[in-house]
């Protein structure tokens, strides 16, 4: 065969991977490499893929002292000794992960455990790395010997380029990536997310499986194609493919009964058997069709999630399985929503705040119908949740990302602020969450000056931008306008408040307006989006509540 066949069981290997077409890879430009990787240029030639992997990994910037093949040869006998490699215990940091065999022969299967133990010896700072067994098993298919595979994995782990994230090596990094994935699902896979909420008591636990789908359940021919692109483009590729897997799972299984008692098990089974429904090419095509956030935006979101975990003291794996806090039934009481409904709302909010408990800040039943008291009880809290029940038994609300004290920046004028994480929703008569759409004062767009009168409740005060058909075309739901360096007069705006009214720019053409006495409200609904209005165009408020987030 070739020099890279030592650990391969060719009876299991995809026959197309045995192609011996003469191919060379001479390009070095990123864009060309990216294109070739996505096209699978080296996917059908085993030897070429091995050489490309070696070249790409050799170019990873690493720490000055990074263990190499010679280190492995020096330590492997001392660490492994005469023990049977198939029975070697795995270090705790792999968290009882699956150790995929893929298309490895018996020698290769034993080599995976030996390499893991040697890496544990050389990287004492690794505290949590469940993807490691899969990465080692994959790279063994394309290595001349164990020492070469060890060196390549070490280079991936020792990458010191702050802009190039590769493999999570701490529980904090892993858990924040799961939260980030949950945030991305909430935006890009809303139909699948709705299904997860309906059939799972804890959606965050389901999304914590996302790396296992890739590094554990995905068949060899699929994960190899993903890894081709991952080595060129980095961590963002993993999010893309995991989102595509979830989209396909929802498409294939929609309307069908669950095959087990656990949605987690169903997704794992679907990914294992993905060849029955989706080809590798179709999976990657779907993944790259998602207009995902920029790498910078994802990095900021990841940092925010890490910070939230650190503030909660969650930096190492907890003994209890789920570190996330659901809404506690015994401590929750609302005159508007049930515990189940509040948990549904909790599944929509950014993951870093789903770690918190709801805290009632204001209710018209106790504090009266006063906008000034609304502000005094809500200010100093960020984010907040607004719930409204109308006299017609309609229930709607809004998630508001920014402290209401920001309204003072506009002086006496109605001042817009907030971030794209704001959204509005309806619980009764039907549950619906609306993606936000940029709203602007028409006067700002046409004259470039501040409008003189903002108090008019008519729908002409607000206009919803015509949104693209794909929600992912919109601005990031994480970043505020300032991250885009937009002029303040043309920046996106989501919530506004004055002494006379509150306006919340909703999603998919929805906008909510509340009078100063908090007894009456109106909605603005753009028919362009072909959806149901948030609630009646004009309504009387029965109860209004504002909730904060308690650590």
């Amino acid at each position: 065969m070739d020099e890279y066949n030592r650990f391969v069981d060719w009876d299991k290997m995809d026959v197309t991977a045995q192609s011996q077409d003469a191919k060379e890879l001479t390009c070095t430009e990123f864009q060309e490499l990216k294109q070739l990787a996505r096209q699978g240029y080296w996917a059908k030639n085993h030897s070429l893929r091995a050489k490309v992997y070696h070249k790409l990994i050799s170019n990873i910037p690493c720490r000055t002292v990074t263990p190499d093949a010679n280190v492995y040869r020096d330590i492997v006998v001392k660490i492994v000794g005469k023990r049977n490699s198939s029975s070697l215990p795995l270090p705790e940091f792999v968290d009882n992960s699956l150790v995929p065999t893929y298309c490895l022969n018996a020698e290769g299967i034993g080599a995976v455990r030996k390499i893991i133990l040697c890496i544990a010896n050389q990287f004492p700072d690794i505290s949590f790395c469940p993807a490691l067994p899969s990465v080692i098993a994959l790279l063994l298919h394309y290595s001349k010997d164990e020492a070469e595979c060890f060196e390549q994995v070490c280079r991936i782990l020792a990458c010191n380029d702050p802009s190039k994230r590769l493999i999570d090596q701490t529980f904090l990094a892993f858990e924040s990536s799961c939260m980030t994935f949950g945030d991305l699902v909430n935006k890009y896979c809303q139909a699948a997310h709705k299904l997860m909420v309906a059939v799972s008591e804890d959606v965050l636990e389901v999304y914590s499986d996302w790396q296992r789908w890739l590094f554990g359940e995905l068949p060899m021919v699929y994960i190899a194609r993903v890894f081709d692109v991952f080595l060129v483009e980095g961590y963002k590729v993993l999010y893309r493919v995991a989102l595509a897997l979830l989209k396909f799972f929802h498409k294939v299984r929609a309307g069908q009964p669950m095959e087990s008692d656990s949605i987690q098990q169903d997704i794992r089974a679907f990914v294992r058997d993905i060849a029955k429904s989706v080809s590798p090419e179709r999976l990657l095509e779907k993944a790259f069709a998602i207009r995902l956030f920029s790498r910078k935006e994802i990095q900021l979101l990841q940092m925010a999630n890490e910070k939230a975990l650190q503030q909660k003291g969650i930096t190492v794996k907890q003994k209890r399985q789920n570190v996330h806090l659901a809404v506690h039934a015994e401590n929750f009481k609302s005159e508007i929503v049930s515990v189940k409904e509040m948990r549904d709302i909790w599944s929509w909010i950014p993951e870093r705040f789903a770690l918190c408990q709801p805290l009632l800040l204001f209710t018209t039943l106790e504090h009266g119908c006063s906008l000034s008291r609304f502000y005094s009880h809500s200010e100093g809290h960020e984010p907040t949740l607004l719930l409204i029940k109308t006299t017609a038994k309609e229930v709607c609300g809004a998630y508001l990302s920014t402290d209401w004290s920001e309204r003072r920046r506009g002086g006496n004028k109605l001042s817009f602020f907030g971030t794209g994480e704001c959204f509005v929703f309806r619980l009764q008569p039907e549950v619906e969450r609306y993606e936000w759409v940029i709203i602007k004062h028409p006067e700002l767009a046409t004259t470039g000056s501040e409008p003189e009168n903002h108090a008019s409740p008519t729908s002409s005060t607000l206009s919803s931008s015509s949104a693209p058909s794909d929600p992912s075309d919109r601005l990031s739901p994480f970043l505020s306008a300032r991250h885009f360096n937009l002029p303040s007069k043309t920046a996106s705006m989501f919530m506004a408040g004055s002494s006379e009214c509150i306006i919340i720019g909703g999603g998919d053409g929805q906008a909510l307006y509340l009078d100063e006495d908090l007894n009456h409200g109106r909605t603005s609904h753009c028919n362009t989006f072909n959806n149901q209005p948030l609630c009646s165009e004009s309504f009387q408020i029965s109860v209004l509540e504002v909730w904060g987030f308690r650590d």
Side-chain angles (χ1 to χ4, degrees), residues 152-214:
Q152 292 192 359
V153 176
C154 286
R155 291 194 65 83
I156 292 174
L157 294 171
C159 174
N160 62 359
D161 182 350
S163 65
K164 194 178 184 71
R165 183 180 178 189
L166 294 176
I167 296 179
D168 296 328
Q169 299 173 45
T170 66
F171 183 73
L172 180 62
F174 171 82
E175 190 68 9
S176 63
S177 77
C178 296
M179 293 168 66
T180 302
F181 180 69
D183 286 325
L184 297 176
V185 173
N186 208 349
K187 177 168 177 62
Y188 295 101
C189 304
Q190 291 180 24
H193 181 67
K194 194 171 183 179
L195 173 64
M196 300 301 120
V197 172
V199 301
S200 172
E201 292 184 2
D202 188 351
V203 292
L204 300 179
E205 188 176 344
V206 175
Y207 297 151
S208 292
D209 240 13
W210 80 279
Q211 288 197 25
R212 176 176 174 145
W213 303 341
L214 304 174

Side-chain angles (χ1 to χ4, degrees), residues 30-229:
F30 172 76
Q31 287 300 330
E32 190 175 355
L33 275 174
K34 174 179 169 180
Q35 193 69 22
L36 292 175
R38 291 187 180 190
Q39 292 172 351
Y41 180 80
W42 50 81
K44 295 183 179 180
N45 185 293
H46 188 80
S47 179
L48 179 62
R49 178 180 261 158
K51 292 173 182 176
V52 171
Y53 280 4
H54 185 271
K55 179 178 180 179
L56 293 174
I57 294 172
S58 297
N59 288 333
I60 294 175
C62 296
R63 300 195 287 250
T64 305
V65 181
T66 299
D68 59 13
N70 290 328
V71 170
Y72 182 82
R73 297 184 185 102
D74 290 341
I75 66 174
V76 65
V77 175
K78 300 174 187 176
I79 293 173
V80 176
K82 297 181 179 180
R83 291 179 292 176
N84 185 335
S85 58
S86 62
S87 61
L88 290 172
L90 294 177
E92 287 187 9
F93 66 67
V94 299
D95 190 43
N96 297 317
S97 301
L98 294 177
V99 181
T101 58
Y102 294 133
C103 301
L104 293 174
N105 56 26
E107 183 183 5
I109 293 171
V112 174
R113 290 178 175 265
K114 291 164 65 178
I115 294 171
I116 291 175
L117 287 180
C118 289
I119 285 175
N121 174 268
Q122 293 295 301
F123 289 84
D125 53 332
I126 296 180
S127 59
F128 197 80
C129 192
L132 186 61
S134 173
V135 173
I136 292 173
L138 177 63
L139 286 174
L140 268 173
H141 293 77
Y142 305 99
S143 300
K144 296 177 182 177
D145 54 33
E146 294 173 15
E148 182 180 87
C149 180
F150 170 84
E151 178 175 327
Q152 292 192 359
V153 176
C154 286
R155 291 194 65 83
I156 292 174
L157 294 171
C159 174
N160 62 359
D161 182 350
S163 65
K164 194 178 184 71
R165 183 180 178 189
L166 294 176
I167 296 179
D168 296 328
Q169 299 173 45
T170 66
F171 183 73
L172 180 62
F174 171 82
E175 190 68 9
S176 63
S177 77
C178 296
M179 293 168 66
T180 302
F181 180 69
D183 286 325
L184 297 176
V185 173
N186 208 349
K187 177 168 177 62
Y188 295 101
C189 304
Q190 291 180 24
H193 181 67
K194 194 171 183 179
L195 173 64
M196 300 301 120
V197 172
V199 301
S200 172
E201 292 184 2
D202 188 351
V203 292
L204 300 179
E205 188 176 344
V206 175
Y207 297 151
S208 292
D209 240 13
W210 80 279
Q211 288 197 25
R212 176 176 174 145
W213 303 341
L214 304 174
F215 298 112
E217 306 292 358
L218 209 56
M220 168 71 185
V221 66
Y222 290 77
I223 187 58
R225 286 295 305 276
V226 173
F227 206 74
D228 291 347
V229 191

